[in-house]
């Protein structure tokens, strides 16, 4: 374990993770980084608390040294700053990430941030940046300045000549953060680019060629898979270098410059929540007969009876045919298509059709826009452009919604986030809600978590959770609380768990005469404008999980004096971390604020845990006592869901590892 190292840095004089003769033109780990074994995890759990205290003391000392060095350089001219940057880059190339070089590097980045952005980074931001640079995950509370902390870490890597990828969760944050931090990078002589889902190949290649590139995890992984499809896996890096030197190899057609260094913002979302979904680079399959096949499956599925012929589980999105259902299908009139004569293929197709009809719901799991079906990301509440469901599910949902049917996709290449990010030579990250995932980050990625202290005292006030019989009484309570809070001039942010729920609540607010704005995947183009106004006095904003990550809601003048932003959570999320993300929108950076949770017991997850006799006893004012019972009813479904998702991620990784090992036997291991 790294607890025995002197100081916070792990390998100060190791070779820099840069493209070149030593690591090749496309550096990456040939095999994924080994996570901690069972003994390592047991030792880590036993020593985590004292180790965190020791590390934090060292990180504070480092931040103090950086502040002192930055102050000593404060009077130098722009020209002198440029000369010092050039000298530093030479030192980093020669000495690697030695401690003295890092103090100088962070001090110069600190100074550049002051001059370009108009304020110096806080010590807590320097601490978080150094934690990430040390290949760890920083838990930094929402509102404490994660965007600048990530940029500080990326800038130091860029000064060493390392191609740095700053990875975040959506295009909005990619464009926003790259534009906001561009002046700081420019002051250091570094180029910065960003990759969006709308960018073409040329724009992507220019962005990946920059010193620092902002991107979403999805765009990064898909460009990596595209690179793998054009690189000859039979050639080693030595062969590639030799071919390039003698001119027998054409100019590289890859987009990336390897997997050198990644700074992962919202690390728990990307490395944990999104890890359940394999990333598949696909190509269109021949469509002959597919539309008719899917339409026939839907026709048959519509005639099957729920609970008699099949069982549907909305939580796992699984559909199981019963014996009666299979008997019904066996008695179905014969269909000419050969596919229907194969029982297993028939049952799978009918199961997919039943899922399309009874499990996947419009405005919850997907959105129909411009005659197309767009998937809504579960954890972010945003549209997932370019993502499609496989095995005919997407096409069946398109038919169900009356949309034009897209071509079914076949897999060309695939990888999981778990395998992909372990291939980086230098990986670090941060999040405001990562402590619950600490053990899994250590187990899967070998990443330790270090908590960054708050810059100012926490002034958030948490009110008791209340449970209501159904959505109608829940909405009445939300309206009453909204009126009470806005009377004092405070803004209110109300979190819902789907597009449909946000629109339902919006109609209820409108009926009560409450002016409001709704932010969801349906109007994502208005996100910046809605968020900018959400902190104004008396403002009411209804939002899905889109408002839960990466969005900073600035308070208007006088709002802090009135008590700050009030958050009402109407979400019963699959994870406690997502609960904390929404609550974290209020009381940021020492501002006042408050939050409460109002839930309806007819919500899908809660309905399975709440006994009917208890539901009937709850009055119109809801239930908040006994508090232990309320907590049990809320947390038990989350605990079950978190456990199921952990098992799903472990199973996916195990299956991926087995596939990789089997491929390596035949000499085709990536």
């Amino acid at each position: 374990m790294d607890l025995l190292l002197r100081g916070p840095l792990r390998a100060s004089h190791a070779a820099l993770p840069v493209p070149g003769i030593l690591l090749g033109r496309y550096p990456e780990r040939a095999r994924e980084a080994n996570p901690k074994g069972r003994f390592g995890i047991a030792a880590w759990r036993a020593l985590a608390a004292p180790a965190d205290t020791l590390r934090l003391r060292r990180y504070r000392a480092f931040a103090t040294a950086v502040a002192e060095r930055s102050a000593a350089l404060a009077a130098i001219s722009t020209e002198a700053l440029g000369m010092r940057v050039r000298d530093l880059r030479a030192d980093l190339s020669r000495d690697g990430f030695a401690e003295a070089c890092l103090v100088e590097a962070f001090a110069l980045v600190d100074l550049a941030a002051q001059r370009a952005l108009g304020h110096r980074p806080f010590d807590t931001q320097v601490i978080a940046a150094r934690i990430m640079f040390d290949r760890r995950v920083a838990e930094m509370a929402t509102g404490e300045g994660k965007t600048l902390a990530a940029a500080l870490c990326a800038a130091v890597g860029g000064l060493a000549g390392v191609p740095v990828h700053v990875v975040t969760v959506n295009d909005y944050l990619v464009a926003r953060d790259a534009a906001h931090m561009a002046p700081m990078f420019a002051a250091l002589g570094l180029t910065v680019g960003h990759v969006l889902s709308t960018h073409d190949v040329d724009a992507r290649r220019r962005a990946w060629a920059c010193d620092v590139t902002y991107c979403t995890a999805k765009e990064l992984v898909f460009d990596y898979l595209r690179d793998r499809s054009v690189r000859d896996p039979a050639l080693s890096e030595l062969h590639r270098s030799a071919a390039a030197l003698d001119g027998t190899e054409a100019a590289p057609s890859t987009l990336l410059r390897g997997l050198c260094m990644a700074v992962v913002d919202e690390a728990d979302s990307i490395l944990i929540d999104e890890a359940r979904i394999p990333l598949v680079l696909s190509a269109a399959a021949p469509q002959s007969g597919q539309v008719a096949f899917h339409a026939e499956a839907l026709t048959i599925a519509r005639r099957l009876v729920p609970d008699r012929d099949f069982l549907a589980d909305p939580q796992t999105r699984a559909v199981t045919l019963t014996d009666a259902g299979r008997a019904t299908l066996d008695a179905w009139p014969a269909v000419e298509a050969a596919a229907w004569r194969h029982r297993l293929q028939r049952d799978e197709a009918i199961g997919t059709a039943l899922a399309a009809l009874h499990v996947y719901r419009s405005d919850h799991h997907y959105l129909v826009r411009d005659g197309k079906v767009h998937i809504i990301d579960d954890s972010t509440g945003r549209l997932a452009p370019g993502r499609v469901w496989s095995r005919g599910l997407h096409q069946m949902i398109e038919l169900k919604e009356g949309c034009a049917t897209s071509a079914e996709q076949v897999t060309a290449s695939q990888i999981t986030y778990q395998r992909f990010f372990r291939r980086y030579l230098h990986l670090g990250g941060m999040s405001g809600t990562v402590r619950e995932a600490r053990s899994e980050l250590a187990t899967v990625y070998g990443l330790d978590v270090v908590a960054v202290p708050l810059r100012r005292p926490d002034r958030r006030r948490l009110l008791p959770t209340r449970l209501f019989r159904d959505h109608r009484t829940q909405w009445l309570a939300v309206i009453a609380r909204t009126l009470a809070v806005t009377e004092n001039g405070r803004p209110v942010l109300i979190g819902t768990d789907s597009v449909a729920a946000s629109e339902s609540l919006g109609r209820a607010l409108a009926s009560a005469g409450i002016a409001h704005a709704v932010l969801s995947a349906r109007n994502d183009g208005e996100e910046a404008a809605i968020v900018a106004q959400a902190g104004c006095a008396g403002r009411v904003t209804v939002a899905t999980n889109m408002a839960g990550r990466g969005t900073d809601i600035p308070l208007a003048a006088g709002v802090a004096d009135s008590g700050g932003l009030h958050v009402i959570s109407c979400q019963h999320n699959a994870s406690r971390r997502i609960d904390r993300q929404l609550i974290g929108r209020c009381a940021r950076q020492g501002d006042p604020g408050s939050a409460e949770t109002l839930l309806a017991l007819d919500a899908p997850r809660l309905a399975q845990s709440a006994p009917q006799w208890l539901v009937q006893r709850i009055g119109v004012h809801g239930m908040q006592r006994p508090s232990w019972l309320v907590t049990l009813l809320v947390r038990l479904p989350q605990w079950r869901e978190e456990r199921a998702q952990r098992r799903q991620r472990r199973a996916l990784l195990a299956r991926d590892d087995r596939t990789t090992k089997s491929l390596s036997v035949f000499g085709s291991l990536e």
Side-chain angles (χ1 to χ4, degrees), residues 526-544:
E526 303 172 33
E527 178 173 6
I530 293 175
V531 168
Q533 297 296 317
C536 294
R539 185 79 170 185
V540 178
T541 306
V542 180
T544 60

Side-chain angles (χ1 to χ4, degrees), residues 502-521:
S502 67
E503 293 176 347
S504 173
L505 177 56
R507 289 190 294 270
L509 291 170
S511 298
I514 300 175
H516 63 281
V518 176
L519 174 61
S520 70

